[in-house]
Amino acid sequence: MKSTIILMALLSVSLISCTKETPKVKHVEKSMSSSQPNLENVKVVNAQDPICHMETAQYLKDTMVYKNKVYGFCSAYCKEEFKKTPEKYAQK
């Protein structure tokens, strides 16, 4: 008898939770060309990425301004590492 009551309670809870409407998520698709800025003609103060030392002229993916200087990075990871301690990597 107890197992029947417990089983009915569990089934009721599952049915109630399944009947609730799931939230609608609106997906917005962005094209790669419009979400990424054009970095072809950006002048940066560093010839190499300050984190991984990759040449920024060929692989510039992101930039950041620090003390009125524009620094170039090969990836978002390198930019985030720079943000943590910019004084360690900034050119004097």
Side-chain angles (χ1 to χ4, degrees), residues 21-88:
E21 184 178 331
T22 58
K24 303 273 189 259
V25 178
K26 183 177 181 181
H27 294 283
V28 178
E29 291 186 29
K30 296 180 182 177
S31 67
M32 290 301 287
S33 60
S34 64
S35 65
Q36 295 292 330
N38 184 0
L39 298 175
E40 289 179 15
N41 298 320
V42 174
K43 303 288 185 218
V44 295
V45 297
N46 54 316
Q48 292 183 338
D49 188 305
I51 307 301
C52 70
H53 306 291
M54 183 180 274
E55 290 183 30
T56 56
Q58 295 173 337
Y59 303 103
L60 188 63
K61 300 288 184 209
D62 209 342
T63 60
M64 179 181 153
V65 176
Y66 177 71
K67 291 191 175 181
N68 296 322
K69 293 181 182 178
V70 179
Y71 289 87
F73 304 96
C74 68
S75 66
Y77 169 79
C78 288
K79 180 180 177 180
E80 291 304 314
E81 286 298 309
F82 184 87
K83 280 183 179 179
K84 291 177 185 175
T85 54
E87 62 280 350
K88 178 180 175 183

